[in-house]
Amino acid sequence: MHRDNGDGFKIRPPHAGMISRRQFLQRAGGLTFCLALAPLIGYGTAEADELISTRDKRAIQFNAYVHISPDGTVTIINPAAEMGQGVMTALPVIVAEELDVEWDDVRIESSPPFGEVYGDPAFFNRIFTTSSRTITNYYERLRRFGREARQVLLENAAEEWRVPVAELRTTPSLVIHDKTGRSISYGEIAAFAGTGAAFDGGEPITFKAPETYRLVGKNIPRRDLPGKVSGSAEYSMDARPGGLVYAAVSRAPVEGATVRALDEHDARSISGVIDVIQRPESVAVVATSYPAALKARDRLEISWHEVEGMSDFDSGDALQQHRAAALDLSRSGFPWDTQGDISSLADNATQVYAAEYRTDYVYHAQMEPLNAVVSVTDAGKKAEVWAGTQAPANTVEAVARILDIPVHDVKLNRSLLGGGLGRRTVPSMDFVVDAAWLSRVLRRPVKVVWTREDDLRSGHLKPMTAHYLRAAVDTRGNISAWQHRVASDESIKMLDRPSYEAFGKVPVTSMLGASHHAMDRTLGDAYDLPNRLVEHVAMDTGVRLYPVRGVGATPNNLAIESFIDELAVQQNADPVEYRLRLLHKSARGRRIIETVAGMAHWTRERHERALGIAYTHYVDTVAAAVAEISFDQKQEKITVHSVWLAADVGLAIQPDNVRAQLEGGIVHGLGYALSERITIKNGLIQQRNFHDYSVMRMADAPAVHTELLHSDRAPTGVGETGSILAPAAVANAFAALTGRRLRHLPFTPDRIREVLMT
Amino acid sequence: MSDKIPFTLNVNSREYQVSVEARQTLADVIREECGLTGTRVGCEHGVCGSCTIIVDGAPVRACLMFAVQAEGKEVRTIEGMADGEELHSVQRAFSDNHGLQCGFCTPGFIMLITAALEQNPAPTDEEIREMLSANLCRCTGYQNIFNAVKQYVGESTETTGAHKND
């Protein structure tokens, strides 16, 4: 029997018993008003209490997200990692709106690494800033916390003034009683809150009417910008605790390899070297300066034990195996999204079309090379960590594990991230733990900085994929059956085993964006393909893989949207018209397609240029992009002149920031389309630095025109949308321009040449 | 022991007495000896431009220059841009135009633009695009950085009366 394991899968929590859950919340986001007055403290985690009390001992904790000081300062807790996506401002804006606080009174502080109330419900209530999900997953909870803290303020004022709560209202940071003309500030309430009678609450929450929003939807300046333009923003790389020493680490060239032989003599002769320390899977050089550590590391002579199957691994051969697996219909796949009956694919009376596509490995290429600083103290019993992490609990646990100390004895300073793109969630925390064990051995703080070469050599790659698609088209031109086979290695199977098991060992990242239904499993804004089988053919490569921005949705969108275009051509249908037909049940989808077609002047004739369109409903954000390209025969170069993108993201908390995410995502996706590619020979990643791993530069970047279509739905994610749409839009534009179909991502000059010659 | 070379390094009009190894890069010394961590290092091979600073008026990859080569020269870093609380207009243009996301590449871009526009105060759009192509940004898609430069060029040509030529 086929089971439907669509994008809206059920999960069960992993990591059980890792951290004892506290009783401060019966269920996240659904708390009642019994939290209120006497006493207010103790409502968050002990870590949060400590966190806040170290800064302002008089601040009253109204709830886990809102703390108000008698001086009127309102501290709002941000649980998510700030890696450039603006979430450290956007999440507090949601709280502040419902709290009805003056934005200038708000200061923002990072949450502790643990605590169910700070965790993401879609990721087992652990903080996991990934997958375009932060705003979506925290939205309902944060507006409740904001509203409920406001309610506590009202109750306090009512108690103080002996008036009914219903006679009170708020203006920003003030509670007002119109009948008597009295007002009291939030800070003044905080001065006596906690001594009044307990509020028993219980009424349902009434949220603000959207038309009265002062912050949501208004483009509040990002709080991280001033430090980032002045240079004072602190990344983990900038931490400099006293007595700091520097380490450069040689790591296993392939996962699981161990040191066979080491000659460290020459390395030790370099001035400034403090020690050379070996572990089974790595060799570290510690020195008084980073250049000295690097120079000494170059002098290490290390040979590694081979890992079976990896020493002759070749990515070109592997892709051929992926391709063969996708094409081999006798090899049944894991049924990810099934509906109806696809037997018409075998019916001689129908037209059956088939196509295949492939994508290469890509690498995160976040701008800040991986790094961390760890200071182990108290004879190895405590540790302080500076790290930019997308999964702070993973970070604390990894350090605790390697030091064999309780997690509560690890203090994490959650630094800004110079980009994350998925790399900094990995449970091994390979970029953090080296500093921890070295600090324990040396009894002083250690900074480990990866060079860009280290970062590439130990890259955790987005899996290569091969796709085989078939469609049966009936006499009226309708798609009567759809089959999409994806052959790939699942990106979390090896390096995030806890999540993989928690998700039920299904190919969860591989198949994102491949389903033709919304996250709640309704048709939603997907193409109407009533008879379909979308399946995953599992490959086992042993290569270090990990989710990278766009995850499986980028290759899946390339395959789906290219194939849709090919079917449109077969039907002599315009690609826009054809998609409108497939979206006949989705008014939102049609509106997006029509909008983007209008923006791009889709029907206008172009000279030596052509347009291509792609559509997605990934994470229920409905979006489409049109790319305008030209092709230079001599240079074998595709130039992308413009990209138009229309998106319905529901409620946009920070619209300008949403646009920035979409624009940046498009250019990231154009890197996927045209140049980004990792190859492996003899088990080793071949690319070394940005000269041979080519990220798009300004000269090649198009003008991106973005339009947000607002709707009253709750906010949906935008972090990956652009990077998902861009490759298919380019492929479709190239086909429109030349009549030839690019099937292998990235569309490098040699592949373009090959396609044009056949 | 190491053979360290002592000398005076002038950064942002301040003199730092430093003692460095011959092979130490200017980026490393600025960050670790002077404690000016706003200069970021992204690739150590001069490819990404994150570590761009200004040396005697010219944009320089601080990861490709040895610190000792900067003796007697005037070094400017991101920390020397603002006048007290008052941001430099390139910094303000970045802020106004949301010309950054993760911010790691931002100081390098700001220093590149500042130096380039001091040399050519009224660049064409094409010249701006070419200039910005020296540095990498993984987040923004460059458009808002381009817009920031346009704002800055507009402001500075207004005040200096320089001719706009695009």
Side-chain angles (χ1 to χ4, degrees):
Chain A
M1 285 297 291
H2 287 170
R3 287 189 302 133
D4 183 356
N5 277 285
D7 294 349
F9 40 80
K10 288 269 187 225
I11 54 172
R12 60 194 166 78
H15 316 289
M18 204 79 89
I19 274 285
S20 66
R21 285 183 187 169
R22 296 179 183 267
Q23 299 301 309
F24 61 90
L25 264 193
Q26 292 307 306
R27 58 200 163 86
L31 74 172
T32 60
F33 285 135
C34 58
L35 67 121
L37 299 183
L40 281 170
I41 52 163
Y43 190 61
T45 62
E47 292 91 336
D49 290 345
E50 188 190 7
L51 178 91
I52 302 307
S53 62
T54 55
R55 302 287 168 86
D56 182 351
K57 295 207 181 302
R58 296 191 307 154
I60 299 296
Q61 188 170 157
F62 278 71
N63 59 40
Y65 283 90
V66 178
H67 306 243
I68 303 177
S69 173
D71 71 3
T73 305
V74 175
T75 300
I76 298 180
I77 305 300
N78 163 42
E82 178 57 63
M83 47 192 173
Q85 81 284 42
V87 77
M88 74 169 282
T89 308
L91 289 183
V93 158
I94 297 169
V95 177
E97 182 67 71
E98 292 296 344
L99 178 60
D100 205 18
V101 63
E102 197 69 69
W103 182 249
D104 287 346
D105 294 342
V106 172
R107 57 188 287 281
I108 297 164
E109 196 155 313
S110 286
S111 79
F114 292 104
E116 188 173 289
V117 75
Y118 301 121
D120 184 329
F123 292 105
F124 331 113
N125 289 319
R126 286 161 70 88
I127 298 168
F128 227 66
T129 310
T130 63
S131 314
S132 307
R133 300 292 288 277
T134 304
I135 295 291
T136 307
N137 291 350
Y138 282 97
Y139 173 69
E140 192 60 34
R141 182 192 301 177
L142 293 191
R143 63 201 294 248
R144 292 182 75 97
F145 272 95
R147 204 59 176 169
E148 287 167 354
R150 175 182 173 275
Q151 187 66 27
V152 175
L153 287 160
L154 291 175
E155 291 293 332
N156 268 284
E159 181 74 19
E160 180 73 6
W161 289 337
R162 306 280 166 200
V163 298
V165 176
E167 291 181 2
L168 300 178
R169 65 184 175 91
T170 56
T171 62
S173 294
L174 284 179
V175 176
I176 291 170
H177 187 236
D178 287 315
K179 275 190 182 168
T180 55
R182 281 180 294 185
S183 68
I184 185 168
S185 73
Y186 287 5
E188 289 170 305
I189 296 172
F192 62 78
T195 58
F199 165 62
D200 55 5
E203 302 101 282
I205 295 179
T206 311
F207 292 110
K208 268 191 179 179
E211 60 272 18
T212 66
Y213 286 165
R214 296 176 306 104
L215 304 171
V216 166
K218 307 295 186 215
N219 295 325
I220 302 305
R222 285 172 54 164
R223 284 288 175 92
D224 55 330
L225 292 195
K228 286 176 176 177
V229 299
S230 74
S232 65
E234 287 206 2
Y235 303 83
S236 53
M237 199 185 256
D238 304 327
R240 300 163 78 236
L244 184 66
V245 292
Y246 303 81
V249 182
S250 279
R251 294 175 188 80
V254 299
E255 191 67 13
T258 52
V259 176
R260 183 169 59 196
L262 167 68
D263 181 346
E264 59 192 67
H265 181 266
D266 285 358
R268 283 190 181 274
S269 72
I270 301 296
S271 68
V273 169
I274 296 169
D275 207 348
V276 175
I277 306 171
Q278 183 184 343
R279 284 174 68 83
E281 68 287 349
S282 59
V283 182
V285 179
V286 188
T288 52
S289 77
Y290 184 49
L294 283 179
K295 185 175 180 188
R297 188 180 64 167
D298 284 346
R299 305 283 179 89
L300 291 174
E301 304 243 349
I302 311 172
S303 64
W304 301 88
H305 287 290
E306 287 185 357
V307 173
E308 200 184 328
M310 290 312 295
S311 59
D312 58 351
F313 184 90
D314 179 288
S315 51
D317 296 344
L319 190 56
Q320 287 308 317
Q321 289 160 16
H322 281 55
R323 185 184 175 199
L327 292 170
D328 179 4
L329 293 174
S330 71
R331 184 170 169 178
S332 65
F334 177 85
W336 177 259
D337 172 27
T338 69
Q339 187 181 300
D341 168 15
I342 62 161
S343 60
S344 65
L345 281 168
D347 182 350
N348 290 334
T350 56
Q351 276 283 358
V352 174
Y353 301 97
E356 53 171 308
Y357 310 90
R358 296 179 294 286
T359 67
D360 287 347
Y361 289 130
V362 298
Y363 148 74
H364 293 89
Q366 78 292 338
M367 285 308 298
E368 181 191 15
L370 296 172
N371 70 87
V373 177
V374 179
S375 176
V376 175
T377 58
D378 296 61
K381 296 279 189 262
K382 287 187 188 282
E384 181 166 6
V385 179
W386 290 260
T389 169
Q390 295 175 253
N394 280 358
T395 307
V396 169
E397 285 164 4
V399 170
R401 204 158 48 228
I402 205 156
L403 298 175
D404 195 22
I405 62 176
V407 289
H408 294 295
D409 291 327
V410 178
K411 182 188 175 206
L412 173 66
N413 300 291
R414 298 179 60 186
S415 309
L416 291 169
L417 284 72
L421 305 168
R423 179 66 174 87
R424 305 204 222 197
T425 63
V426 67
S428 73
M429 287 286 147
D430 54 345
F431 59 100
V432 181
V433 293
D434 287 332
W437 64 263
L438 288 168
S439 178
R440 183 181 59 188
V441 171
L442 295 164
R443 309 213 161 213
R444 50 200 298 192
V446 176
K447 180 186 287 189
V448 174
V449 181
W450 295 33
T451 62
R452 183 59 57 183
E453 282 80 358
D454 292 338
D455 206 314
L456 265 152
R457 198 180 294 124
S458 296
H460 288 21
L461 310 178
K462 182 189 261 206
M464 61 165 62
T465 65
H467 304 253
Y468 184 47
L469 290 93
R470 300 197 300 158
V473 179
D474 67 19
T475 49
R476 287 179 303 171
N478 294 322
I479 299 173
S480 60
W482 171 275
Q483 182 177 21
H484 181 178
R485 290 168 59 83
V486 184
S488 70
D489 196 352
E490 167 54 37
S491 72
I492 61 171
K493 188 171 66 185
M494 184 164 80
L495 296 183
D496 191 352
R497 201 71 200 171
S499 296
Y500 181 64
E501 287 175 4
F503 283 121
K505 298 184 183 176
V506 297
V508 58
T509 70
S510 305
M511 298 307 283
L512 286 171
S515 302
H516 298 280
H517 59 66
M519 291 176 75
D520 67 2
R521 295 170 189 250
T522 62
L523 176 62
D525 302 299
Y527 294 144
D528 189 14
L529 298 168
N531 299 302
R532 62 181 188 267
L533 168 59
V534 178
E535 54 187 332
H536 182 251
V537 183
M539 306 300 289
D540 262 308
T541 60
V543 172
R544 288 168 172 146
L545 303 174
Y546 213 62
V548 183
R549 189 185 203 182
V551 286
T554 305
N556 288 328
N557 194 258
L558 173 76
I560 294 165
E561 290 298 302
S562 295
F563 194 44
I564 290 289
D565 249 47
E566 295 196 77
L567 293 174
V569 168
Q570 294 293 340
Q571 304 299 307
N572 290 319
D574 175 85
V576 162
E577 294 298 325
Y578 196 69
R579 285 173 172 80
L580 291 173
R581 255 157 61 191
L582 285 164
L583 291 167
H584 65 107
K585 290 182 178 167
S586 167
R588 284 175 94 208
R590 291 198 307 281
R591 185 162 155 246
I592 285 295
I593 297 276
E594 283 163 356
T595 300
V596 80
M599 289 165 71
H601 300 282
W602 177 261
T603 52
R604 198 180 78 207
E605 285 288 322
R606 262 113 170 139
H607 179 63
E608 294 185 346
R609 293 186 180 187
L611 302 182
I613 188 170
Y615 172 80
T616 183
H617 59 98
Y618 178 71
V619 296
D620 288 351
T621 285
V622 182
V626 171
E628 181 182 44
I629 71 158
S630 64
F631 177 65
D632 184 323
Q633 293 270 4
K634 279 199 197 107
Q635 294 188 44
E636 296 171 319
K637 186 180 168 179
I638 292 173
T639 298
V640 184
H641 300 277
S642 291
V643 174
W644 297 269
L645 186 152
D648 179 346
V649 303
L651 177 67
I653 307 298
Q654 293 266 73
D656 182 56
N657 201 49
V658 168
R659 271 192 210 94
Q661 285 294 300
L662 292 167
E663 275 176 20
I666 285 287
V667 173
H668 192 147
L670 291 174
Y672 289 161
L674 300 176
S675 62
E676 292 190 36
R677 177 193 191 200
I678 291 285
T679 52
I680 299 177
K681 283 205 181 351
N682 299 322
L684 304 177
I685 289 172
Q686 298 297 291
Q687 287 68 26
R688 291 276 179 244
N689 205 316
F690 287 127
H691 67 279
D692 56 4
Y693 188 84
S694 185
V695 168
M696 184 166 266
R697 289 180 186 267
M698 173 89 236
D700 295 325
V704 183
H705 311 274
T706 305
E707 192 165 326
L708 297 184
L709 277 69
H710 297 279
S711 67
D712 55 2
R713 293 164 49 128
T716 53
V718 292
E720 296 167 284
T721 301
S723 70
I724 290 165
L725 289 168
V730 169
N732 290 339
F734 187 84
L737 187 67
T738 65
R740 304 300 171 90
R741 176 60 56 180
L742 294 166
R743 300 182 183 280
H744 191 170
L745 201 67
F747 310 137
T748 53
D750 53 321
R751 287 175 186 160
I752 294 171
R753 189 184 320 135
E754 197 181 314
V755 161
L756 290 175
M757 287 195 325
T758 51
Chain B
M1 278 310 290
S2 64
D3 302 317
K4 289 208 170 182
I5 305 160
F7 69 99
T8 303
L9 184 63
N10 183 312
V11 186
N12 303 326
S13 305
R14 195 184 138 185
E15 293 189 338
Y16 293 83
Q17 303 303 323
V18 295
S19 182
V20 307
E21 293 163 47
R23 63 171 175 270
Q24 258 181 292
T25 65
L26 184 53
D28 188 62
V29 170
I30 287 170
R31 287 180 54 83
E32 303 296 337
E33 306 291 326
C34 305
L36 299 170
T37 54
T39 299
R40 320 278 179 204
V41 180
C43 76
E44 301 181 75
H45 283 75
V47 197
C48 77
S50 288
C51 65
T52 304
I53 57 170
I54 302 175
V55 179
D56 281 352
V60 161
R61 309 285 214 221
C63 73
L64 292 185
M65 186 168 177
F66 290 118
V68 290
Q69 294 175 290
E71 186 175 6
K73 295 187 160 61
E74 280 187 21
V75 176
R76 281 167 77 192
T77 70
I78 189 72
E79 289 89 350
M81 292 291 286
D83 182 5
E85 295 289 295
E86 184 78 16
L87 290 177
H88 186 280
S89 30
V90 176
Q91 292 173 308
R92 196 162 35 75
F94 263 70
S95 196
D96 292 350
N97 289 279
H98 199 166
L100 60 137
Q101 290 182 23
C102 86
F104 194 79
C105 71
T106 308
F109 268 103
I110 288 174
M111 302 315 285
L112 170 74
I113 292 161
T114 303
L117 296 187
E118 281 171 4
Q119 289 166 4
N120 175 13
T124 63
D125 285 3
E126 203 43 51
E127 285 169 339
I128 294 172
R129 291 171 67 87
E130 197 174 307
M131 179 258 294
L132 294 177
S133 294
N135 285 18
L136 282 180
C137 170
R138 188 58 157 165
C139 304
T140 61
Y142 303 105
Q143 191 151 291
N144 287 346
I145 297 177
F146 180 85
N147 294 341
V149 177
K150 291 290 282 183
Q151 173 181 317
Y152 174 66
V153 169
E155 285 173 4
S156 52
T157 49
E158 264 171 39
T159 53
T160 62
H163 189 63
K164 264 185 116 174
N165 62 349
D166 58 351

